[in-house]
């Protein structure tokens, strides 16, 4: 019985971990900052500076306004963000 519980716990933990999506860490060029009209959502529009041949920009949502206030357009940052497929990309960490 104890082995069954341990096996179930491990499988459940692995299942939850697999549902979280992926986390990416890379250098990005911040092109533009934006916010919703009600000032409740903040994002940055970025370009992957590691891949100069791919000129596709994408948005990363930022949970905290203070972080959004500190970043500057036209600067390059080392960024870690999560990508959960259907959900918007979410900022996890940013460094200059």
């Amino acid at each position: 019985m104890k082995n069954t519980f341990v096996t179930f716990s491990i499988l459940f933990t692995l299942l939850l971990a697999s549902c979280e999506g992926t986390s990416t860490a890379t250098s990005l060029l911040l092109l533009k900052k934006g916010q919703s009209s009600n000032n409740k959502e903040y994002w940055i529009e970025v370009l992957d500076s590691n891949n100069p041949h791919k000129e596709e920009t994408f948005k990363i949502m930022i949970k905290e306004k203070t972080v959004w206030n500190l970043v500057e357009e036209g600067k390059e940052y080392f960024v870690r963000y999560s990508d959960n497929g259907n959900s918007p990309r979410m900022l996890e960490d940013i460094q200059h």
Side-chain angles (χ1 to χ4, degrees):
M1 182 71 177
K2 186 175 181 180
N3 287 338
T4 304
F5 179 74
V6 170
T7 303
F8 178 75
S9 297
I10 291 171
L11 289 174
F12 184 72
T13 302
L14 290 173
L15 177 65
L16 287 177
S18 68
C19 294
E20 288 186 25
T22 61
S23 183
T24 303
T26 187
S27 292
L28 299 174
L29 177 62
L30 195 156
L31 299 174
K32 187 184 209 180
K33 293 169 50 171
Q35 62 185 6
S36 64
S37 58
N38 62 2
N39 296 330
K40 297 210 183 247
E41 293 183 327
Y42 305 93
W43 65 86
I44 53 176
E45 189 171 325
V46 296
L47 177 66
D48 188 352
S49 54
N50 289 322
N51 191 353
H53 302 293
K54 189 174 183 179
E55 295 188 17
E56 181 179 318
T57 63
F58 58 94
K59 286 184 181 179
I60 300 175
M61 303 302 291
I62 300 177
K63 294 178 186 177
E64 300 170 16
K65 183 178 181 179
T66 54
V67 173
W68 183 82
N69 282 331
L70 292 173
V71 295
E72 299 177 31
E73 293 177 353
K75 300 242 179 181
E76 192 165 324
Y77 294 92
F78 186 76
V79 175
R80 192 176 78 233
Y81 63 91
S82 63
D83 189 357
N84 296 330
N86 295 336
S87 301
R89 293 174 181 98
M90 294 299 297
L91 183 70
E92 294 176 359
D93 187 36
I94 188 166
Q95 298 175 11
H96 181 64

